[in-house]
């Protein structure tokens, strides 16, 4: 018996070495990521193998999102014109904010096909009740189509009210499509959509399990939150659908988030993103080009913006690169709100250098975790910036889930991407990069209002934490590349 055990142990050891070799030489991961996985494989030989299959493999579909009708929208023509104008330095910017950040705009334009639009109107929501009140009004006013995509949809009171509103519109003849992430919305059942489907509504799940309880694409989630109504109104931001986002979950208390309602030409980019995601998920109900999906916008505003997307199918980490470019352009101040702060070395260095060079760096994080390992890694990382002179604020009025950055009260970004490796490398995300001083000033005022219900973390307080907490932070730091 002992001989059989020895043989099995040796076999497991050999397989583990072979698998570790694959991780190092074939996956071509970054060094920090490789070391993190080697630690998991070394200390958890069999379990580590399973974890790697579920969470460690790369997504190799370079052309995961395709839509043959995309050329009919006219975006490619606009891209060519804008690129040509940039190459001749003759781009007709309408405001100083856009002109000053031309390098950032060019980067998004060239490597993300993110067209710059300058006639948008934005409404900012920080409260879930206000956001959903307006969303339900827009849903009720829909006449042609409603396209909705959320990471999380809960089977609670808000979720039921939400699906009932969509069902009513479907019964009225409005084309309603709903896309959700299977992991994020794992509590949903087919019965939840029964009446909605019966009314003609369409539902799809992103990266569903092909086998029960087994999904080798589990690690790649669609974290985007998008709503497009009649091609005229668009939503993007941090709120999902559930009672907790109304502040009704005692565990979190008040839910503080940031979401945008957009009217103007930027809605075309949001619509295009939804259609690409929908057609990837749908097997039988692909969306083909229809002019009413892209109506000529009635220009109502003066806000310039780009809709930037990123995901594991992309060569470049577009949103992270945009954050770094924003940070490196700062002359006076940087404001960041994020529920998770697990930056890679490049972004952490950019913030550290900004702080060391005299730029005021302010970061706001929650006072409680919704994911323990992520929270411990967050507290460790913010301490690194404390050492460089940055200000760290702990939000005490509930849970802050906002994903926002404002630089010099001139330019900003709001969307779905957290400041962590998962958002930059593994999740499909979308952010609005906004070149408007007025919007940046509004977001700045919101940040300083939040400071009133926050406490400032000091180095003295951080150094008083217990040895047990320090141990958990150390483990989380080692695993942070794969969190």
């Amino acid at each position: 018996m002992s001989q059989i055990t020895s043989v099995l142990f040796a076999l497991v050891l050999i397989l583990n070495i072979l698998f570790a070799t694959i991780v190092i030489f074939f996956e071509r991961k970054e060094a920090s990521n490789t070391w993190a996985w080697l630690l998991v494989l070394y200390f958890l030989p069999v379990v580590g193998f399973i974890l790697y299959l579920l969470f460690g493999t790369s997504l190799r579909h370079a052309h995961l999102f395709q839509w043959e009708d995309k050329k009919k929208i006219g975006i490619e023509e606009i891209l060519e014109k804008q690129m040509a104008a940039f190459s001749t330095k003759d781009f007709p910017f309408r405001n100083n904010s856009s002109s000053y950040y031309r390098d950032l705009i060019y980067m998004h334009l060239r490597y993300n096909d993110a067209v710059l639009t300058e006639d948008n109107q934005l409404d900012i929501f920080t409260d879930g009740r206000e956001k959903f009140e307006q969303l339900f009004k827009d849903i009720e006013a829909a006449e042609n189509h409603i396209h909705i995509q959320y990471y999380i949809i809960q089977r609670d009171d808000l979720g039921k009210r939400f699906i009932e509103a969509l069902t009513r519109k479907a019964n009225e003849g409005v084309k309603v499509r709903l896309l959700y992430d299977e992991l994020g919305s794992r509590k949903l059942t087919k019965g939840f959509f029964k009446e909605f489907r019966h009314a003609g509504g369409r539902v799809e799940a992103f990266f569903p399990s092909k086998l029960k309880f087994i999904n080798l694409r589990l690690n790649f989630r669609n974290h985007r939150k998008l709503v497009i109504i009649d091609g005229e109104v668009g939503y993007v931001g941090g709120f999902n659908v559930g009672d907790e986002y109304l502040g009704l979950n005692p565990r979190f208390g008040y839910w503080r988030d940031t979401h945008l309602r957009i009217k103007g030409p930027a809605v075309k980019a949001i619509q295009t993103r939804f259609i690409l995601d929908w057609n990837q998920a749908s097997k039988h109900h692909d969306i083909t080009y229809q002019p009413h999906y892209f109506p000529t916008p009635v220009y109502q505003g003066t806000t310039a913006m780009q809709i930037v997307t990123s995901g594991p199918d992309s060569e470049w980490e577009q949103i992270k690169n945009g954050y770094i470019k924003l940070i490196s352009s700062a002359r006076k101040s940087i404001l960041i709100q994020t529920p998770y702060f697990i930056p890679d070395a490049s972004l952490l260095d950019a913030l550290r250098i900004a702080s060391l060079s005299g730029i005021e760096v302010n970061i706001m994080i929650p006072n409680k975790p919704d994911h323990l390992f992520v929270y411990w890694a967050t507290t460790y990382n913010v301490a690194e910036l404390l050492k460089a002179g940055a200000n760290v604020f702990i939000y005490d009025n509930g849970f802050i889930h906002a994903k926002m950055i404002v630089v010099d009260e001139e330019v900003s970004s709001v969307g779905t991407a957290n400041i962590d490796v998962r958002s930059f490398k593994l999740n499909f995300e979308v952010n609005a990069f906004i070149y408007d001083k007025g919007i940046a000033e509004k977001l700045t005022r919101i940040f300083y209002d939040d400071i009133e219900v926050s406490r400032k973390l000091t180095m003295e307080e951080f150094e008083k934490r217990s040895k047990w907490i320090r141990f958990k932070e150390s483990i989380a730091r080692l695993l942070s590349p794969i969190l």
Side-chain angles (χ1 to χ4, degrees):
M1 187 69 180
S2 60
Q3 188 175 3
I4 295 175
T5 304
S6 299
V7 171
L8 288 175
F9 179 79
L11 183 61
V12 169
L13 187 61
I14 291 170
L15 289 174
N16 215 51
I17 293 172
L18 287 174
F19 199 71
T21 303
I22 292 172
V23 171
I24 295 172
F25 293 106
F26 291 94
E27 287 288 344
R28 296 293 182 183
K29 297 179 181 295
E30 291 182 1
S32 60
N33 202 305
T34 298
W35 278 112
W37 275 115
L38 287 176
L39 283 171
V40 172
L41 291 168
Y42 180 79
F43 287 108
L44 301 170
V46 178
V47 177
F49 175 82
I50 297 171
L51 289 174
Y52 188 84
L53 287 178
L54 293 174
F55 300 106
T57 55
S58 301
L59 190 67
R60 302 185 184 281
H61 300 286
H63 303 289
L64 188 65
F65 301 96
Q66 295 191 32
W67 185 36
E68 292 183 0
D69 288 351
K70 186 177 178 181
K71 56 183 178 293
K72 297 180 181 179
I73 306 170
I75 288 180
E76 291 182 3
E77 183 180 350
I78 296 171
L79 280 168
E80 290 177 4
K81 288 181 179 179
Q82 291 193 351
M83 287 292 294
F86 266 97
S87 64
T88 59
K89 298 185 179 181
D90 193 33
F91 195 95
F93 292 109
R94 299 184 190 176
N95 62 60
N96 291 332
S97 292
S98 298
S99 179
Y100 184 80
Y101 295 98
R102 61 180 299 122
D103 291 348
L104 173 61
I105 293 170
Y106 176 79
M107 182 181 73
H108 288 322
L109 186 66
R110 181 172 181 180
Y111 296 104
N112 197 243
D113 292 348
V115 170
L116 177 70
T117 58
E118 299 186 280
D119 300 292
N120 300 287
Q121 175 184 315
L122 265 64
D123 296 313
I124 303 169
F125 294 97
T126 61
D127 179 82
R129 294 180 183 276
E130 294 177 0
K131 181 257 181 176
F132 281 103
E133 181 181 352
Q134 182 61 57
L135 178 59
F136 282 125
K137 287 180 181 178
D138 288 331
I139 288 173
E140 186 60 34
E143 298 179 353
N144 182 268
H145 67 274
I146 301 170
H147 292 161
I148 293 183
Q149 177 176 353
Y150 279 102
Y151 176 64
I152 296 173
I153 300 175
Q154 301 283 23
R155 288 190 304 160
D156 52 21
D157 289 344
L158 181 62
K160 291 175 183 176
R161 182 185 168 200
F162 179 71
I163 201 67
E164 287 169 0
L166 297 181
T167 302
R168 283 196 301 272
K169 298 308 293 184
N171 276 318
E172 292 174 13
V174 175
K175 285 287 186 182
V176 185
R177 295 178 176 91
L178 176 61
L179 176 63
Y180 65 91
D181 184 87
E182 186 180 69
L183 179 65
S185 302
R186 56 190 173 275
K187 295 180 181 179
L188 293 183
T189 62
K190 291 183 179 180
F192 184 73
F193 299 111
K194 183 178 180 180
E195 292 184 12
F196 175 64
R197 291 180 191 273
H198 184 72
R202 302 292 189 190
V203 183
E204 296 288 353
F206 188 83
F207 279 4
S209 302
K210 293 184 178 180
L211 297 173
K212 194 171 184 180
F213 305 121
I214 299 176
N215 189 340
L216 296 183
R217 296 189 292 184
L218 179 70
N219 206 31
F220 308 107
R221 308 320 312 172
N222 200 318
H223 197 238
R224 295 169 183 147
K225 297 98 176 169
L226 301 173
V227 177
I228 307 95
I229 297 173
D230 291 340
E232 297 177 350
V233 177
Y235 283 80
V236 62
F239 282 108
N240 288 293
V241 180
D243 288 348
E244 65 206 77
Y245 304 101
L246 303 180
L248 299 178
N249 187 330
R251 176 187 171 193
F252 297 110
Y254 180 73
W255 190 277
R256 169 64 183 84
D257 222 319
T258 305
H259 218 94
L260 303 176
R261 178 180 184 268
I262 303 168
K263 296 188 74 174
V267 178
K268 283 188 176 182
I270 299 173
Q271 180 82 287
T272 303
R273 181 69 264 168
F274 173 85
I275 293 174
L276 288 167
D277 286 5
W278 175 270
N279 285 355
Q280 190 286 322
S282 175
K283 295 181 179 178
H284 308 292
H285 306 111
D286 282 4
I287 299 175
T288 57
Y289 173 81
Q290 300 293 334
H292 55 255
Y293 292 148
F294 301 93
T296 301
V298 177
Y299 301 118
Q300 300 187 31
T302 58
T303 296
M305 63 190 302
Q306 290 174 292
I307 302 299
V308 179
T309 62
S310 66
D313 61 317
S314 304
E315 180 180 2
W316 309 104
E317 298 170 32
Q318 291 95 335
I319 293 177
K320 186 197 79 171
N321 290 343
Y323 284 169
I324 292 175
K325 187 69 176 173
L326 277 176
I327 291 164
S328 63
S329 69
R331 294 159 291 167
K332 297 180 296 183
S333 64
I334 300 167
L335 308 179
I336 293 175
Q337 288 179 321
T338 178
Y340 321 122
F341 187 72
I342 313 177
D344 64 4
S346 61
L347 199 148
L348 186 62
D349 282 344
L351 285 169
R352 187 186 286 116
I353 291 168
S355 186
L356 291 172
S357 60
I359 293 167
E360 184 181 338
V361 177
N362 298 294
I363 297 178
M364 188 175 293
I365 61 173
N367 71 345
K368 63 189 73 174
D370 64 340
H371 302 291
L372 285 175
F373 269 105
V374 174
Y375 186 74
W376 297 331
T378 291
T379 57
Y380 179 89
N381 282 297
V382 294
E384 291 298 300
L385 291 181
L386 278 177
K387 297 174 186 176
N391 300 311
V392 177
F393 298 95
I394 310 297
Y395 185 79
D396 278 333
N397 193 40
F399 185 77
I400 188 161
H401 190 250
K403 303 94 166 54
M404 183 196 81
I405 179 170
V406 183
V407 169
D408 292 339
E409 298 186 29
E410 290 183 351
V411 63
S412 56
S413 180
V414 172
T416 68
N418 300 305
I419 296 184
D420 63 8
V421 176
R422 171 158 293 280
S423 281
F424 296 152
K425 291 180 178 292
L426 300 175
N427 285 346
F428 297 94
E429 306 281 5
V430 56
N431 269 47
F433 282 75
I434 308 161
Y435 312 98
D436 185 302
K437 186 175 177 60
I439 295 296
E441 289 174 344
K442 286 182 181 179
L443 292 170
T444 298
R445 287 196 295 272
I446 290 169
F447 187 96
Y448 281 99
D449 286 344
D450 289 333
I451 286 180
E452 296 299 315
V453 289
S454 303
R455 59 186 169 86
K456 190 173 181 180
L457 180 66
T458 64
M459 204 65 210
E460 291 76 16
E461 178 186 351
F462 182 77
E463 289 176 347
K464 290 179 181 178
R465 68 201 191 285
S466 68
K467 291 181 179 180
W468 175 236
I469 291 178
R470 291 169 188 253
F471 173 76
K472 292 187 288 187
E473 288 175 349
S474 297
I475 297 298
R477 178 175 64 88
L478 289 173
L479 296 177
S480 62
I482 60 176
L483 288 178

